[in-house]
Amino acid sequence: MSSKNSNILSVCTLVIPWFTAPFLGKKVFIRYASVALFTNVIWSILSVFANKKRWWKADPFILKNVPIDLPFVAGMFFITTLWVFKLTFGNFKKYFALNAVIDFLLAFPVVKFYDRVGAFKLRKLSSTLFYMIVLSLAVIIYVYQCTMERVMKRMTGKLGDS
């Protein structure tokens, strides 16, 4: 599956999103880093499972023997999670709508493009089911962030009382 174009695209998928990170702001990065890391853990587990079940195949251009889709997990998904939360957190309808659009673009035109280049290919999973999986993940991570916000509010309230 590996080719020069696939490697270039994978490097871009990993690195280019990080160029936008300074525009997030330090407070936003810190506030949402936990949910972005949580997303990475879920995607890493899902990658291992999906590769084992042959749902999809990603070109692991960096760590050839590791079944984690590293360019997506550590690049595109991490930074996109931060941006989506920065732009929409606190308004679930807006959050869900933005995710529905982004996930649609990922599941259909982006996956098709990555397949043509040889960096990612859906195998035993349809684009529609892939879309439903990533959209479901969006709901899970929103609940996670709401929980983290409540925990932090309680902790800072208790710390402020001391």
Side-chain angles (χ1 to χ4, degrees), residues 103-143:
D103 293 344
F104 180 86
L105 293 172
L106 173 66
F108 295 95
V110 172
V111 164
K112 188 177 277 189
F113 173 73
Y114 276 70
D115 183 13
R116 260 189 270 133
V117 175
F120 182 87
K121 178 177 184 60
L122 290 176
R123 289 180 167 175
K124 293 183 177 181
L125 198 68
S126 69
S127 290
T128 303
L129 191 51
F130 182 73
Y131 175 67
M132 298 309 290
I133 289 170
V134 294
L135 198 54
S136 298
L137 176 58
V139 173
I140 291 166
I141 67 173
Y142 193 87
V143 170

Side-chain angles (χ1 to χ4, degrees), residues 68-157:
I68 294 172
D69 309 328
L70 187 63
F72 296 98
V73 171
M76 182 190 297
F77 295 153
F78 186 88
I79 298 298
T80 302
T81 300
L82 295 172
W83 275 107
V84 169
F85 274 90
K86 174 185 176 142
L87 297 171
T88 65
F89 187 69
N91 183 336
F92 183 75
K93 287 180 184 178
K94 188 176 177 183
Y95 170 84
F96 191 79
L98 182 57
N99 268 283
V101 170
I102 291 171
D103 293 344
F104 180 86
L105 293 172
L106 173 66
F108 295 95
V110 172
V111 164
K112 188 177 277 189
F113 173 73
Y114 276 70
D115 183 13
R116 260 189 270 133
V117 175
F120 182 87
K121 178 177 184 60
L122 290 176
R123 289 180 167 175
K124 293 183 177 181
L125 198 68
S126 69
S127 290
T128 303
L129 191 51
F130 182 73
Y131 175 67
M132 298 309 290
I133 289 170
V134 294
L135 198 54
S136 298
L137 176 58
V139 173
I140 291 166
I141 67 173
Y142 193 87
V143 170
Y144 171 87
Q145 184 61 29
C146 288
T147 303
M148 291 304 296
E149 296 277 329
R150 281 193 302 275
V151 168
M152 292 306 292
K153 189 177 263 186
R154 269 192 245 129
M155 286 178 65
T156 56

